[in-house]
Amino acid sequence: MSNNKKDEQLDAYRTDDQGKKLTTNQGLKMAEDEFSLKAGERGPTLLEDFHFREKMTHFDHERIPERIVHARGFAAHGEFELYESLEKYTKADFLTDTSKKTPVFVRFSTVAGSKGSSETVRDARGFSTKFYTEQGNYDLVGNNIPVFFIQDAIKFPDLVHALKPEPHNEMPQAASAHDTFWDFVANNQEAAHMVMWAMSDRAIPRSFRMMEGFGVHTFRLVNSQGQSHFVKFHWKPKLGTHSVVWDEAQKLSGKDADFHRGDLWESIENGEYPEYELGLQIIREEDEHSFDFDILDPTKLWPEEDVPVQLVGKMTLNRNVDNVFAETEQVAFHPGHVVPGIDFSNDPLLQGRLFSYTDTQLIRLGGPNFHELPINRPVCPFHNNQRDGYGRQTINVGQVSYHKNSLASNTPSPASPEEGGYEHYQEKVEGYKVRKRSESFKDHFSQARLFWNSMSEAEKGHITEAFSFELGKVGDSSVKQQVVDMFTNVDKELATSLADAIGATPPSEGAQHVNVSKSSPALSQENTKFSAHTRTVGLIISNNFNGKDISHILDHLRNEGVIIEVISDKQGKLQGDDGSEINVDHTFLTSESVLFDSIYAVGGPNLSKKFNHDAKYFIQEAFQHFKPIGATHDGKQWLEDNSLQNSPGVVISDDPDAFAKEFANAIAAHRHWSRDIVL
Ligand code: HDE
């Protein structure tokens, strides 16, 4: 467990009920908690039963409204360390003092689904970080996709209404594959770029630990001389950015709706702390207009090849929450929670968010005192003249609760910038009051095409398949056609394949996509980091395995950071030919190949027909999902029976040493897309 200022603060609120006597909320010990107070053993319950009333009333009020978006989330504590001072750009304390370890709380989420929905749905993921700095809380409330569907916050309610389950029948849950979402897209073409991301592998991440995070908007950094730079924030996962395949994602939704939280929880419990580096892209004020897009437009990214990402620090998530409701559910993020040295740009999406987040907390957390909840409290003191409201905890002493005053010597008093007081960047603004989209925001397709151009063949295949799936679920043929016509602007071939798949009219001969040939290799997951570290292997094995070989192979894999989980037909212990023992973690009934990154087939002699059938099914499915598969000893036969032995990413060997090395490399490669599979 980390030991930082936030943890110390939370300590004061932690309560361990174990081993204690049961009391009411008034502290009264109770002698009975199973039976309500009745008039006679078979008589009616009495109103005077204060214990029953208190217990039931509290229960009746246990739920709070779920978040209107990002309802399904999971969070962890950690800390942020800075590599070198960024005083050139900002006066923010936590970005200039390298000796500080800033406590953080990070919540990951899906966007569309309700609180109990599955985690491996096709969706953007929220990536919200609360930095508990000495200058107050700074919230970086981002997503795992660097652009957004819309350019102006006033459209957000429309977008969300279109995306959420349709109101007449509340279907489908946590999915964009339905008429209203695609109708919105076709009629709000600024969505093109983000839709490309949402149809890509980015929208089905393998793990919260293997996702990038993006602040999306352009923000400002302001240094102590008052100079400002435009900035975009990135989180780069140390394990690289990786995804599952769509068929696997859907099966995971059924087999383990908690797949992502389980992965994060287990990693932290096992001491495999997820790490992300903070990256900054910086543009000088004078270069604001030097790009072929408007840097205020949230549907645009800054290609990393043009504006490099500087890695400035590292965040480590090292502690699971004690209580999901108290922490994860009650945490209140807000892009407007800033510290000196960080400021906003005029991005109209960001500007609207600055209103929405406090507003939503007022209803969700039931009043204006949510900042007093333990998870939301800053680690520095806070003082002002705000008073009262539902659930107020602070006992403000004294007579004075107004400014300006003489009775308390005009305190609490504003702090000058030198004393750490926040000053808004003095940007010059002038113009007519208009409700308009800026001319500079009107190109919706160039970056959508840049993204497409940057994809590998496998990634392009996945995008085409995702579009075909989503539109295949749309009932209205006019909506389908509008989407085909719209994405002809991005790529004619994509639109042609899509039209073919969904029975729409393909683009006409004269139709052409936008003329953009540039690509940005950083956008492809083929160019991410690869490692076998924390990858899971389902080891299918039975009694009488070759003890010496297996222990050699497993030792090697474990040294590479691979996690082995043993699968057999029954739980309990298995015996090797040398008397060694191995514990079975799962049976064929309690697990499924989709739950593992790879399969290692060992088998054993004289297996039942059912064992052979189940093992082959596991292997076949893992193969279809392009996963690495290893086989030694009796396990080789299963691959041969299915004619899989000569495929990419399938490692078979009689030499334990060579096998272990080659298999570890195959695991690190994540997926083997060159496999000959007809999707
Ligand atoms: Fe949010 N968003 N959002 N959003 N958002 C919320 O706040 C909103 C947007 C994001 O883990 C809500 O506390 C508007 C972009 C995350 O608790 C709400 C607009 C990005 C989370 C809200 C946007 C985000 C939220 C719902 C358009 C990526 C989860 C509950 C202007 C940069 C935070 C809540 C958590 C949550 C409003 C667009 C990310 C209603 C009006 C762009 C990660 O206030």
Side-chain angles (χ1 to χ4, degrees):
M1 184 191 278
S2 72
N3 188 16
N4 60 39
K5 216 164 168 179
K6 187 65 195 172
D7 279 347
E8 283 165 24
Q9 188 192 47
L10 289 175
D11 264 346
Y13 297 92
R14 285 194 186 96
T15 306
D16 186 354
D17 298 323
Q18 211 176 310
K20 310 284 170 10
K21 292 289 177 206
L22 180 91
T23 73
T24 65
N25 287 334
Q26 305 307 315
L28 174 69
K29 285 190 191 125
M30 289 305 299
E32 176 56 67
D33 189 38
E34 258 190 287
F35 307 110
S36 54
L37 186 69
K38 300 181 200 77
E41 277 180 22
R42 300 180 61 251
T45 302
L46 297 177
L47 192 59
E48 76 175 66
D49 187 351
F50 55 82
H51 176 51
F52 166 77
R53 284 195 335 262
E54 181 195 87
K55 184 174 172 182
M56 192 57 79
T57 310
H58 197 278
F59 169 75
D60 290 343
H61 294 256
E62 270 176 14
R63 290 291 169 274
I64 63 171
E66 66 175 33
R67 288 164 172 81
I68 171 90
V69 281
H70 297 267
R72 175 74 168 167
F74 203 65
H77 294 270
E79 53 198 19
F80 172 76
E81 292 163 89
L82 186 69
Y83 295 152
E84 58 189 272
S85 171
L86 297 169
E87 63 197 352
K88 191 169 144 202
Y89 300 118
T90 177
K91 56 184 171 186
D93 203 18
F94 80 108
L95 293 176
T96 51
D97 185 347
T98 51
S99 68
K100 283 214 159 95
K101 280 191 179 175
T102 305
V104 295
F105 188 65
V106 178
R107 183 174 181 272
F108 301 103
S109 47
T110 56
V111 180
S114 57
K115 196 165 168 284
S117 57
S118 164
E119 290 180 337
T120 53
V121 294
R122 178 174 297 284
D123 199 352
R125 299 297 186 284
F127 191 139
S128 307
T129 308
K130 194 179 279 294
F131 295 84
Y132 300 96
T133 89
E134 301 285 334
Q135 296 174 300
N137 291 345
Y138 169 58
D139 292 355
L140 181 54
V141 196
N143 278 346
N144 76 330
I145 291 181
V147 290
F148 203 62
F149 289 115
I150 48 171
Q151 295 171 316
D152 192 311
I154 199 167
K155 279 195 184 190
F156 191 65
D158 302 299
L159 164 70
V160 175
H161 287 170
L163 172 64
K164 284 266 181 181
E166 297 191 6
H168 60 305
N169 58 12
E170 215 182 34
M171 290 195 273
Q173 179 55 249
S176 52
H178 60 109
D179 286 49
T180 57
F181 174 71
W182 286 98
D183 187 34
F184 179 88
V185 169
N187 288 285
N188 296 272
Q189 303 211 345
E190 67 213 71
H193 188 190
M194 176 141 173
V195 168
M196 293 301 290
W197 283 78
M199 293 304 109
S200 80
D201 296 347
R202 300 282 181 145
I204 39 173
R206 156 65 181 84
S207 157
F208 294 140
R209 302 176 295 127
M210 299 171 199
M211 296 187 327
E212 285 185 283
F214 303 93
V216 176
H217 312 283
T218 296
F219 291 88
R220 280 177 190 279
L221 292 180
V222 185
N223 67 17
S224 53
Q225 287 86 52
Q227 275 174 333
S228 142
H229 287 83
F230 293 108
V231 63
K232 283 218 193 247
F233 293 104
H234 296 244
W235 288 117
K236 298 268 185 195
K238 282 274 204 169
L239 292 172
T241 310
H242 301 283
S243 298
V244 296
V245 298
W246 181 227
D247 179 62
E248 182 188 6
Q250 291 173 88
K251 288 177 175 159
L252 274 170
S253 282
K255 290 287 172 185
D256 185 1
D258 306 316
F259 186 69
H260 282 152
R261 62 183 56 199
D263 170 276
L264 186 69
W265 175 274
E266 287 300 328
S267 305
I268 294 176
E269 290 300 295
N270 295 334
E272 294 289 359
Y273 299 143
E275 292 177 332
Y276 309 81
E277 287 183 296
L278 180 68
L280 304 184
Q281 280 179 300
I282 300 223
I283 291 181
R284 295 182 308 174
E285 283 242 301
E286 52 269 41
D287 296 333
E288 180 176 357
H289 302 292
S290 325
F291 296 86
D292 57 5
F293 53 86
D294 191 329
I295 65 164
L296 299 185
D297 177 354
T299 67
K300 304 294 184 298
L301 52 82
W302 302 353
E304 292 187 26
E305 294 75 14
D306 300 340
V307 187
V309 177
Q310 313 172 29
L311 298 177
V312 302
K314 188 179 77 173
M315 174 168 78
T316 308
L317 300 182
N318 54 17
R319 188 167 75 76
N320 279 315
V321 297
D322 289 302
N323 183 288
V324 172
F325 182 84
E327 299 171 81
T328 313
E329 196 57 17
Q330 295 201 113
V331 66
F333 291 98
H334 180 16
H337 291 162
V338 287
V339 289
I342 301 182
D343 212 319
F344 314 114
S345 74
N346 295 333
D347 169 352
L349 194 70
L350 171 61
Q351 293 283 322
R353 291 180 76 198
L354 297 177
F355 164 74
S356 174
Y357 287 68
T358 307
D359 189 41
T360 206
Q361 311 309 349
L362 291 173
I363 178 82
R364 198 170 69 78
L365 299 171
N369 287 319
F370 56 85
H371 63 282
E372 293 187 329
L373 293 167
I375 195 66
N376 293 327
R377 282 178 176 261
V379 293
C380 58
F382 53 100
H383 304 282
N384 55 47
N385 291 312
Q386 295 168 33
R387 292 291 185 274
D388 310 346
Y390 283 110
R392 182 71 171 182
Q393 293 173 43
T394 307
I395 303 175
N396 297 97
V397 296
Q399 180 186 14
V400 174
S401 55
Y402 53 89
H403 179 82
K404 293 152 86 172
N405 66 63
S406 65
L407 291 179
S409 311
N410 204 20
T411 59
S413 57
S416 67
E418 294 69 40
E419 292 169 315
Y422 188 89
E423 250 194 337
H424 289 268
Y425 178 67
Q426 296 190 3
E427 182 190 357
K428 183 163 183 261
V429 280
E430 56 184 3
Y432 294 99
K433 285 188 198 168
V434 287
R435 287 189 186 273
K436 268 190 174 170
R437 189 196 313 264
S438 165
E439 278 301 315
S440 56
F441 278 37
K442 286 189 177 162
D443 168 13
H444 303 325
F445 298 110
S446 296
Q447 283 212 350
R449 180 153 181 83
L450 172 84
F451 181 73
W452 174 256
N453 289 346
S454 313
M455 296 291 100
S456 67
E457 281 314 304
E459 287 171 320
K460 283 184 175 169
H462 298 164
I463 292 173
T464 310
E465 195 201 17
F467 267 105
S468 307
F469 175 92
E470 296 263 318
L471 285 152
K473 298 274 183 180
V474 167
D476 188 286
S477 52
S478 134
V479 169
K480 289 172 152 171
Q481 190 63 51
Q482 290 175 60
V483 174
V484 170
D485 297 346
M486 172 177 170
F487 283 89
T488 305
N489 292 300
V490 178
D491 187 73
K492 193 174 175 184
E493 212 179 305
L494 165 67
T496 308
S497 313
L498 177 56
D500 186 40
I502 62 172
T505 309
S508 66
E509 239 172 68
Q512 199 39 271
H513 46 242
V514 288
N515 185 13
V516 174
S517 53
K518 186 176 166 180
S519 67
S520 168
L523 300 180
S524 169
Q525 289 178 235
E526 303 270 296
N527 299 323
T528 189
K529 290 183 187 160
F530 291 88
S531 136
H533 205 83
T534 72
R535 292 312 184 117
T536 55
V537 173
L539 165 62
I540 305 180
I541 191 165
S542 182
N543 275 316
N544 284 322
F545 56 86
N546 182 321
K548 187 161 155 272
D549 285 1
I550 298 304
S551 87
H552 179 79
I553 292 167
L554 297 191
D555 282 352
H556 181 90
L557 293 176
R558 287 196 180 104
N559 280 339
E560 298 281 322
V562 172
I563 297 165
I564 317 280
E565 299 191 30
V566 178
I567 306 162
S568 200
D569 58 345
K570 292 185 200 101
Q571 286 187 333
K573 284 195 192 315
L574 298 175
Q575 288 237 318
D577 56 6
D578 58 352
S580 58
E581 278 190 341
I582 189 166
N583 235 338
V584 179
D585 301 301
H586 312 279
T587 65
F588 293 117
L589 197 62
T590 63
S591 66
E592 191 82 20
S593 85
V594 291
L595 299 168
F596 304 97
D597 288 306
S598 61
I599 298 294
Y600 173 24
V602 173
N606 307 322
L607 298 177
S608 67
K609 202 170 160 193
K610 172 129 178 66
F611 196 118
N612 281 312
H613 169 270
D614 289 349
K616 281 194 212 170
Y617 184 80
F618 249 73
I619 291 165
Q620 188 63 40
E621 193 167 52
F623 185 83
Q624 286 294 326
H625 296 147
F626 304 90
K627 292 180 178 176
I629 298 172
T632 59
H633 307 92
D634 297 308
K636 290 185 298 191
Q637 191 58 44
W638 291 325
L639 282 122
E640 282 158 21
D641 289 351
N642 284 346
S643 307
L644 305 178
Q645 66 275 31
N646 295 320
S647 301
V650 174
V651 182
I652 300 184
S653 175
D654 291 325
D655 172 352
D657 207 40
F659 171 81
K661 285 185 188 136
E662 210 188 316
F663 189 38
N665 289 339
I667 294 169
H670 179 60
R671 298 295 159 104
H672 297 271
W673 304 120
S674 59
R675 218 170 255 176
D676 187 18
I677 294 178
V678 184
L679 279 178

